[in-house]
Structures are given as structure tokens and as C-alpha cells.
């Protein structure tokens, strides 16, 4: 280790040895320091728009589980497509995650939320390492930009922060929200029809295929195109995704969202998501907390997943009060 790297690690020691438990308010505060204060906006995934559609389980789903939204009924969906981060003017050709939030509401009133990213893994294994990574991204007051050496030193000391960054570097940003796969990242448990819990992760695979931006488009000046491209696509009819359950096996992590399960894991095509139109303000009153689960599902002990509920609630309260 050279002297420069050692000095950076020493400078980062407060972040590297953070308090044992990160708090929701710390995430709200650090997002404001990175992206600035934007009153009335979501603190994370600030840039986005609503859409509406439906979800319908595929025939095999009912044979697998009696969860309400797998019954085969057509379930109304409220959705939100978004850019990661707290910048409501985020460049849409940036190498950053895209988000998709969904609320399903069944005929008997049960709710199911999904909060997904366009990357199959999260940015860190736990809230403390994610908070530490975010703290290194706070702009230097002298330059107005983050210190890249600090970020690199932190990642070197915390290898769980590398997989998402490596995925973003190797895969082009989405050409359209309709040509993007979305991943649930966290582990959940679903009861099958025999009453046995199966650990699963879920992913939504686009029927339009996966398409990314070209290198020229990535290097071009920032422009807004994602909402228009989805609108243009919807003129031709609904855009759809196949929902797949990835079935976990013994030894597959249940608590580390920075680790991808082995690619040979069995998948089950369980439903079809259809987005039919952009939705105006349909999603404004929703915070897409992924811990809102219908009967027959439960969340894992993943601490990043557990942190989402209180952090989303604080962000939601600030948004409603124009803070």
C-alpha cells in the first residue's frame, strides 16, 4: 500500500469505522449533502414519472402459490420509473441505476409493493457500508466535486461496494425504460401451496428485449429522453415484462443484496406486467416501500431492506410538507 492510499484510508477512518448501526436520518442527510436540497421532491430517485397498467399471473403461478396477486385475476398496477439519486435533473445517459416502483392492489384490497433497480445487485452489503460509500461522494467545498481518490480508497477497503459499480461499467445505460430489466435485489420468502416457504428473488424481463445506449450516446451532452421514448412506445400498445421468481437454494445468501445468486438457479415465469399509459400524478402519494407485502410473503432479515421502510417514511413526510 503506497503512502497516498494509506493517508486516504486514515482520512476516511470515521466512515470506515462508522457507528455500529446507521440510521434512516443519516441517509436523508447525506443525500442532501450530495445532491442538494430539493424541497417537495423524493430524497432518493428524485427524477421520475408515473405510469399505470396491470399484472396478470401466468397459469403455472396458481399451481405454485395461493398469494392473492397470483390468482390469475387482472390486478391494477401503479408504477413509477425513475433515475437513481437525489437529483431531479439527473442526466439520463449517466451510468447509474434506473428504478421501477410498483404497487399491485388485488380485488380483496391486498397491496404488494416492488422497489427494483436495473442492476441485479445493490451498492453495498449493509446500511453502514452504503452510508460510508455515500459519505465519500459528498462534493469537496473547494472544487464542488467528489474526491474520486476517496471513493476508490473506500471501495478498495470494502469490496462489497464493487459489484454494482462493475455492473454499471460493463453494461450500457438503458436506451428506454421499456428495454430495461428490473431486479428486486433483496430476498423474500413465499409460501407455496403446500405451506412451505421458498426463498426467492424476483426480476422483470422486458418483452421488447434489452437495449442500451451506444458509446456516442453515453458521451453526448445530457438530454431528457426516457419519458418521451416510453410515451412513443406506448402509442403502439402496452409494453410488457415477464416476472420471474429466482428460486434460492441452501447456502444462497438471504441477507446480502450485494451478492448475486448463482446463475444456474431455477427460475419460474410467474406473471406478466403490462404498462399501458403514463400516469400523471397517479404515483405521487406512494412511496413504494418494498416491505409492503401481501399475505403469503415475508421479508428476509436483510438490513438494507429493513432500512428502506423508515428511510422512505421520512422522505415521504418531508415531501408531503414541502421540505
Amino acid at each position: 500500500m503506497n503512502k497516498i492510499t494509506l493517508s486516504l484510508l486514515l482520512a476516511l477512518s470515521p466512515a470506515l469505522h462508522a457507528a455500529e448501526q446507521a440510521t434512516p436520518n443519516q441517509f436523508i442527510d447525506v443525500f442532501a449533502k450530495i445532491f442538494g436540497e430539493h424541497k417537495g421532491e423524493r430524497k432518493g430517485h428524485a427524477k421520475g414519472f408515473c405510469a399505470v397498467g396491470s399484472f396478470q399471473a401466468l397459469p403455472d403461478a396458481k399451481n405454485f402459490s395461493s398469494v392473492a396477486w397470483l390468482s390469475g385475476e387482472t390486478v391494477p398496477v401503479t408504477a413509477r420509473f425513475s433515475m437513481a439519486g437525489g437529483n431531479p435533473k439527473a442526466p439520463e445517459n449517466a451510468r447509474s441505476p434506473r428504478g421501477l416502483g410498483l404497487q399491485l392492489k388485488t380485488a380483496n384490497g391486498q397491496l404488494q409493493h416492488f422497489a427494483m433497480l436495473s442492476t441485479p445487485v445493490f451498492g453495498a452489503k449493509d446500511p453502514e457500508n452504503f452510508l460510508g460509500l455515500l459519505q465519500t461522494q459528498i462534493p469537496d467545498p473547494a472544487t464542488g466535486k467528489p474526491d474520486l481518490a476517496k471513493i476508490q480508497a473506500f471501495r478498495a477497503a470494502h469490496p462489497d461496494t464493487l459489484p454494482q459499480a462493475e455492473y454499471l461499467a460493463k453494461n450500457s445505460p438503458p436506451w428506454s425504460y421499456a428495454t430495461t430489466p428490473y431486479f428486486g435485489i433483496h430476498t423474500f420468502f413465499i409460501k407455496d401451496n403446500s405451506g412451505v416457504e421458498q426463498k426467492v428473488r424476483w426480476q422483470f424481463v422486458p418483452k421488447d428485449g434489452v437495449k442500451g445506449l451506444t458509446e456516442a450516446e453515453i458521451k453526448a451532452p445530457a438530454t431528457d429522453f426516457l419519458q418521451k421514448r416510453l410515451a412513443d412506445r406506448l402509442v403502439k400498445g402496452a409494453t410488457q415484462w415477464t416476472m420471474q421468481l429466482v428460486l434460492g437454494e441452501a447456502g444462497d445468501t438471504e441477507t446480502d443484496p450485494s451478492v448475486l445468486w448463482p446463475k444456474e438457479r431455477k427460475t419460474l415465469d410467474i406473471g406478466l406486467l403490462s404498462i399501458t399509459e403514463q400516469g400523471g400524478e397517479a404515483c405521487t402519494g406512494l412511496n413504494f416501500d418494498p416491505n409492503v407485502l401481501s399475505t403469503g410473503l415475508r421479508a428476509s432479515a436483510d438490513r438494507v431492506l429493513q432500512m428502506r421502510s423508515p428511510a422512505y417514511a421520512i422522505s415521504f413526510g418531508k415531501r408531503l410538507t414541502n421540505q
Side-chain angles (χ1 to χ4, degrees), residues 33-115:
K33 290 176 181 177
I34 295 172
F35 301 106
E37 294 280 2
H38 301 284
K39 293 184 178 180
E41 300 284 355
R42 295 173 192 259
K43 305 311 174 186
H45 291 265
K47 185 176 187 177
F49 59 90
C50 306
V52 294
S54 63
F55 177 88
Q56 188 166 26
L58 295 172
D60 286 345
K62 192 173 182 179
N63 296 328
F64 174 72
S65 174
S66 59
V67 168
W69 44 272
L70 295 179
S71 68
E73 69 173 281
T74 299
V75 182
V77 170
T78 304
R80 185 173 187 266
F81 294 94
S82 62
M83 299 285 297
N87 179 7
K89 297 183 179 179
E92 296 185 356
N93 54 349
R95 286 189 180 275
S96 61
R98 308 298 184 261
L100 175 59
L102 301 174
Q103 177 180 273
L104 279 60
K105 187 173 183 178
T106 64
N108 65 1
Q110 290 198 35
L111 297 179
Q112 172 73 35
H113 282 192
F114 298 90

Side-chain angles (χ1 to χ4, degrees), residues 8 112 130 151:
L8 282 169
Q112 172 73 35
F130 186 48
I151 298 172

Side-chain angles (χ1 to χ4, degrees), residues 119-139:
T119 60
V121 290
F122 188 62
K125 68 177 182 179
D126 57 35
E128 289 70 39
N129 281 6
F130 186 48
L131 180 63
L133 178 63
L134 291 173
Q135 288 169 339
T136 68
Q137 298 172 19
I138 297 172

Side-chain angles (χ1 to χ4, degrees), residues 27 32 70 74 181 217 224 239 257 286:
F27 286 99
L70 295 179
T74 299
E217 289 171 322
D224 290 344
T239 183
L286 301 178

Side-chain angles (χ1 to χ4, degrees), residues 260-282:
L260 191 64
W261 285 353
K263 62 182 179 179
E264 61 267 20
R265 289 295 173 262
K266 181 180 178 181
T267 61
L268 177 65
D269 289 355
I270 205 165
L272 192 64
L273 169 68
S274 300
I275 296 297
T276 54
E277 61 182 311
Q278 294 187 19
E281 298 298 317

